[in-house]
Amino acid sequence: MKDNPKKQIITQVAQNIFSRHGLLKTTVYEIAKAARMGKASLYHYFQSKEDIFKEVVEKENRFLKEKIREAIINEDTPQKKMKIYILKKMEYLRELANIHSALKDDYLEHYAFIEKIREKNSKEELFTIRETLQDGEDKGIFEINDIELTAFAIASALKGLEYPWSINISFPEIESNVDKLLEILFNGIVKR
Amino acid sequence: MKDNPKKQIITQVAQNIFSRHGLLKTTVYEIAKAARMGKASLYHYFQSKEDIFKEVVEKENRFLKEKIREAIINEDTPQKKMKIYILKKMEYLRELANIHSALKDDYLEHYAFIEKIREKNSKEELFTIRETLQDGEDKGIFEINDIELTAFAIASALKGLEYPWSINISFPEIESNVDKLLEILFNGIVKR
DNA sequence: ACTCGAACACAAAACTATTATGGTCGAATT
DNA sequence: AATTCGACCATAATAGTTTTGTGTTCGAGT
């Protein structure tokens, strides 16, 4: 997808409608109407409904990455970089309805293309964590053996931050939970 | 439930049938037949199908707790106790089909009584982790500020161990992942 | 106290008909 | 040539109806 204006309009209107109704409830007809064209014309620009949704998710992912890059750019320590990465990702995932849906909605998990999106996202996450660990090690801040396994363990732990605790269990504010978990991951609980 | 032999027979046969067919697919009629009684007679001993399942889950939970107690009894350090606790729990949850189902199956999550079972289990988990942290602190091994929040953060991290990663992502053996995560939680990644 | 056949209310499943939806095709328009 | 779209297709989804299954109750019997 280059700079085709029609394609961008379709993507934009689709982004809005998908984010309100979700992938399944949004019809191709609705998107076409909102883009002021006939339904059949859409297929000149996109191969399928799935293609449109993929494009929308990729657009949101680019936005998310840019926002994270901006936030991290002036941080100097790997600890701060990791914290900002996690918090910004959580924050923007809440706003970006389509990528959130693609990554989190249970009813979408049997679609092969959704599985691919989730896989790509997980790989990017693991990569980012691994890079940050490497950076910290290079700077003599972190001391790590088996960096791959460490990246994986940390990624797993961070997934646990989204665990759906029962409503009757009083759980802390997400940010203090992130802070505390990162503090533990960085410094450990064994006396120094 | 005291020592009523009929009730114990019902519970035992129900445990078997529930673990094969699951809560929803198991009929009261089947349980009655297996216990060699009429369907209506069951209601003399249990108030409902739900009551039978609860009894079965409680039975399995008692068994699980006893197995963990036995495994931990000779361990001396809080680190070892925590590791054994996590691994044993994972191991027995895999074997004890009914409590596993009660805690994990998505299709059961809208039942109020299942939510209660999950809540109770989470509270027990948090309690166990908190106790172990306290033990470690009392022994001068751990240094913790805000023990409640720390217990919560660690519990969250451990929930992440069960995250369903995509099949195309090569993830490590569960035990090495547990080991690595615990190592990080205990010692941190910042150079000592 | 314990047992169970019969019945109940309604949930679940099966079946049938109708409508909606993603996608295609070819002709028309720009 | 690029773009548009009406009409149509195959089938998925939905709606409506009927049938069967299931948890539970009740009252009579042992």
Side-chain angles (χ1 to χ4, degrees):
Chain A
M1 137 110 165
K2 284 290 143 268
D3 40 11
N4 186 320
K6 264 296 165 65
K7 221 174 171 178
Q8 291 189 14
I9 290 168
I10 296 167
T11 303
Q12 183 60 46
V13 302
Q15 188 178 5
N16 289 334
I17 303 176
F18 280 137
S19 68
R20 263 183 285 128
H21 301 150
L23 170 62
L24 299 190
K25 291 293 181 178
T26 297
T27 64
V28 175
Y29 179 78
E30 281 181 273
I31 296 171
K33 277 292 140 279
R36 309 219 179 199
M37 57 177 49
K39 187 176 65 155
S41 303
L42 263 193
Y43 290 87
H44 180 77
Y45 299 90
F46 288 93
Q47 197 176 34
S48 62
K49 186 182 178 184
E50 174 183 314
D51 250 15
I52 303 174
F53 190 69
K54 276 197 273 191
E55 188 56 47
V56 166
V57 170
E58 272 164 34
K59 182 184 171 192
E60 289 187 358
N61 200 31
R62 286 195 300 270
F63 178 81
L64 171 62
K65 282 190 188 170
E66 183 53 32
K67 284 299 169 185
I68 288 172
R69 203 191 61 79
E70 286 170 17
I72 277 174
I73 199 113
N74 293 317
E75 301 296 344
D76 48 346
T77 69
Q79 289 102 314
K80 282 205 194 115
K81 281 180 197 271
M82 197 173 285
K83 179 182 171 179
I84 301 294
Y85 168 70
I86 291 155
L87 290 178
K88 285 296 166 185
K89 191 162 185 186
M90 281 181 171
E91 178 189 335
Y92 282 100
L93 268 199
R94 251 179 285 143
E95 285 180 29
L96 299 168
N98 293 306
I99 190 170
H100 185 273
S101 177
L103 295 183
K104 309 282 181 190
D105 286 348
D106 291 339
Y107 62 87
L108 294 183
E109 79 190 12
H110 63 279
Y111 289 88
F113 85 100
I114 294 289
E115 175 66 21
K116 279 219 167 63
I117 290 169
R118 291 179 184 190
E119 180 184 314
K120 183 172 173 241
N121 186 268
S122 293
K123 279 177 177 170
E124 283 173 2
E125 231 171 51
L126 282 166
F127 181 76
T128 300
I129 292 168
R130 193 195 177 295
E131 288 277 286
T132 311
L133 293 181
Q134 189 64 60
D135 183 40
E137 201 172 32
D138 293 344
K139 283 178 176 155
I141 298 172
F142 295 159
E143 185 173 14
I144 292 162
N145 65 69
D146 197 339
I147 200 163
E148 303 287 346
L149 187 54
T150 301
F152 201 89
I154 289 173
S156 299
L158 296 174
K159 294 293 184 191
L161 288 172
E162 290 156 33
Y163 180 77
W165 295 94
S166 306
I167 56 172
N168 292 323
I169 293 178
S170 60
F171 46 90
E173 279 248 334
I174 188 68
E175 190 163 336
S176 45
N177 207 21
V178 171
D179 277 346
K180 175 55 71 173
L181 182 56
L182 284 178
E183 183 195 314
I184 299 168
L185 292 173
F186 294 142
N187 301 307
I189 56 175
V190 168
K191 202 174 250 184
R192 287 201 165 225
Chain B
M1 141 114 161
K2 282 292 146 271
D3 40 10
N4 186 320
K6 263 291 164 68
K7 221 174 170 179
Q8 291 188 12
I9 290 169
I10 295 165
T11 303
Q12 182 61 47
V13 301
Q15 187 177 5
N16 290 333
I17 303 176
F18 280 138
S19 67
R20 264 184 285 125
H21 301 152
L23 171 61
L24 300 190
K25 290 294 182 178
T26 296
T27 63
V28 175
Y29 179 79
E30 281 181 273
I31 296 170
K33 276 293 140 279
R36 307 208 181 214
M37 59 177 47
K39 187 172 65 157
S41 304
L42 264 194
Y43 289 88
H44 181 77
Y45 298 91
F46 288 93
Q47 198 177 32
S48 62
K49 186 180 177 186
E50 176 183 311
D51 249 17
I52 303 174
F53 190 68
K54 275 198 277 194
E55 189 56 43
V56 166
V57 170
E58 272 164 31
K59 182 184 171 191
E60 289 188 357
N61 200 32
R62 286 194 300 269
F63 178 81
L64 171 62
K65 282 188 186 172
E66 182 53 30
K67 285 299 170 185
I68 288 173
R69 205 191 58 81
E70 287 169 16
I72 276 175
I73 199 110
N74 294 318
E75 301 297 345
D76 49 345
T77 69
Q79 290 102 312
K80 282 204 193 121
K81 281 180 198 270
M82 197 172 288
K83 180 183 170 180
I84 300 296
Y85 168 69
I86 291 155
L87 289 178
K88 284 296 167 185
K89 191 163 185 183
M90 280 179 171
E91 178 189 335
Y92 283 101
L93 269 199
R94 251 180 284 146
E95 287 180 29
L96 299 168
N98 294 305
I99 191 169
H100 185 273
S101 178
L103 295 183
K104 310 282 181 192
D105 286 346
D106 290 339
Y107 63 87
L108 294 183
E109 79 190 12
H110 62 279
Y111 290 88
F113 85 101
I114 294 289
E115 175 68 19
K116 281 222 167 64
I117 291 170
R118 291 179 183 188
E119 181 184 312
K120 184 172 173 242
N121 187 269
S122 293
K123 281 177 175 171
E124 284 174 2
E125 231 171 51
L126 281 166
F127 181 77
T128 300
I129 291 168
R130 195 198 177 291
E131 288 277 285
T132 310
L133 293 181
Q134 190 64 59
D135 184 40
E137 199 171 34
D138 293 345
K139 285 179 174 153
I141 297 171
F142 296 159
E143 184 171 17
I144 291 160
N145 66 66
D146 197 341
I147 200 163
E148 304 286 349
L149 186 55
T150 301
F152 201 88
I154 290 174
S156 300
L158 296 174
K159 294 292 183 192
L161 288 170
E162 290 155 32
Y163 181 76
W165 295 93
S166 305
I167 56 172
N168 291 323
I169 294 179
S170 59
F171 45 89
E173 280 248 336
I174 188 69
E175 191 163 335
S176 45
N177 207 20
V178 172
D179 277 345
K180 175 54 72 172
L181 182 56
L182 285 178
E183 181 195 318
I184 299 168
L185 293 173
F186 294 142
N187 301 306
I189 56 175
V190 169
K191 203 175 247 185
R192 289 200 166 224

